[in-house]
Amino acid sequence: MKKITIVIDGPAGAGKSTVSQHLAKRLNYVYLDTGALYRAIALAARQKNIPPTNSKKLYELCCQCRISFKKMKGKQKVYLNGKDVTSALRIPPLSLLASHYSKLPLVRKALLRHQRKLGEKGGMVAEGRDLGTVVFPHAELKFFLVASLKERSKRRYLELKDKKHSLKQIEKEIQKRDQQDRERALAPLKKAKDAIEIDTTTMTIDQVVSEMYKQVILSTKDFK
Ligand code: DC
């Protein structure tokens, strides 16, 4: 089967990460979590006390940051300058911070290049916000996942092991982030015209992955 580029966009908690990883595994494709790139830049900026307003320092930071992925025991690990930052990237305050920094043109420009380089060989399932519209507009298959705010908040709450944040707090954070991601001027969260929308609110992971797999078979059958 020809290896294609598959992009999965959508708001936080719509199920992108889980289904992207399952689909990539089923197809033996590379999985790319583009949100982790924005989270890593936000973490690095926080560690170095660089505010979003300091463009010069932020530009230098984007040039210096080495962000890489490694699969360990079936789980994806994210490294920032050689250090495992996987857990640090997932805490709710960092999610919002990543959303703040992702509004900045110079951050998006630096990461656009990085993402395209990672995806140049195809055979990839990538998840994010602007992949179908901006980063990989020519991807052979595009999905846009949605789910109710209640369901998305519940999923995030269950995902966070420490339970330091209440369900209500998570719901507020997701709502704020959604609004920020949708309303930013550059590359906002938006469904590409040619993307297939799937509402995952009442679907299981297996159901979503099966639906996507069906679409992959349909879109690659002419290339065999
Ligand atoms: O997918 P995520 O929740 O890990 O993403 C964290 C933030 O990064 C998200 O709120 C907005 C930003 N982001 C983006 O602007 N573009 C992407 N392709 C992926 C993430």
Side-chain angles (χ1 to χ4, degrees):
M1 209 197 301
K2 181 191 182 269
K3 291 213 164 189
I4 60 170
T5 296
I6 302 167
V7 296
I8 305 180
D9 289 310
K16 302 186 300 292
S17 297
T18 315
V19 299
S20 302
Q21 290 181 67
H22 278 73
L23 186 66
K25 193 168 171 206
R26 191 155 168 187
L27 293 165
N28 199 18
Y29 274 25
V30 169
Y31 161 62
L32 175 62
D33 173 7
T34 64
L37 301 174
Y38 288 93
R39 286 171 185 264
I41 293 288
L43 178 68
R46 195 182 66 173
Q47 284 169 348
K48 299 205 157 145
N49 285 319
I50 305 175
T53 44
N54 192 336
S55 307
K56 187 173 175 284
K57 279 256 152 44
L58 211 51
Y59 177 74
E60 284 165 12
L61 183 84
C62 287
C63 297
Q64 287 159 2
C65 273
R66 280 181 296 112
I67 310 163
S68 55
F69 299 96
K70 220 183 270 170
K71 215 170 169 188
M72 303 254 282
K73 294 184 190 152
K75 289 219 155 54
Q76 164 120 315
K77 298 262 177 204
V78 191
Y79 293 82
L80 173 62
N81 299 325
K83 191 167 176 258
D84 181 358
V85 290
T86 316
S87 311
L89 295 189
R90 303 312 310 174
I91 59 165
L94 202 80
S95 306
L96 211 48
L97 204 64
S99 177
H100 284 317
Y101 281 88
S102 74
K103 283 193 274 188
L104 305 171
L106 75 90
V107 171
R108 298 210 76 82
K109 195 173 162 200
L111 290 183
L112 179 67
R113 228 180 296 143
H114 194 60
Q115 292 167 86
R116 286 191 176 152
K117 184 121 193 69
L118 290 170
E120 67 192 1
K121 290 197 188 111
M124 177 186 70
V125 180
E127 57 140 323
R129 302 288 187 289
D130 61 336
L131 305 187
T133 49
V134 176
V135 185
F136 301 113
H138 304 300
E140 287 89 344
L141 195 52
K142 300 178 184 178
F143 293 102
F144 193 80
L145 297 192
V146 294
S148 73
L149 176 65
K150 272 223 149 21
E151 180 61 26
R152 292 188 289 125
S153 312
K154 198 176 90 194
R155 288 176 190 166
R156 270 291 142 89
Y157 177 73
L158 294 174
E159 214 175 78
L160 289 164
K161 293 186 191 84
D162 61 15
K163 301 285 173 280
K164 276 189 200 143
H165 305 268
S166 69
L167 183 61
K168 202 78 217 145
Q169 277 174 312
I170 306 261
E171 188 174 313
K172 268 200 183 137
E173 180 263 313
I174 286 190
Q175 212 167 11
K176 182 147 189 234
R177 202 145 64 95
D178 276 358
Q179 190 184 3
Q180 226 169 232
D181 293 346
R182 280 205 171 94
E183 292 178 358
R184 69 173 175 235
L186 201 60
L189 163 66
K190 202 167 90 183
K191 177 179 173 285
K193 280 199 189 85
D194 50 349
I196 300 167
E197 183 167 317
I198 303 177
D199 186 338
T200 70
T201 308
T202 59
M203 290 172 87
T204 65
I205 295 163
D206 282 349
Q207 284 173 329
V208 182
V209 176
S210 295
E211 177 57 34
M212 288 177 158
Y213 188 76
K214 221 165 54 195
Q215 297 294 338
V216 176
I217 300 299
L218 281 175
S219 69
T220 52
K221 73 176 181 355
D222 300 332
F223 302 121
K224 269 182 200 160

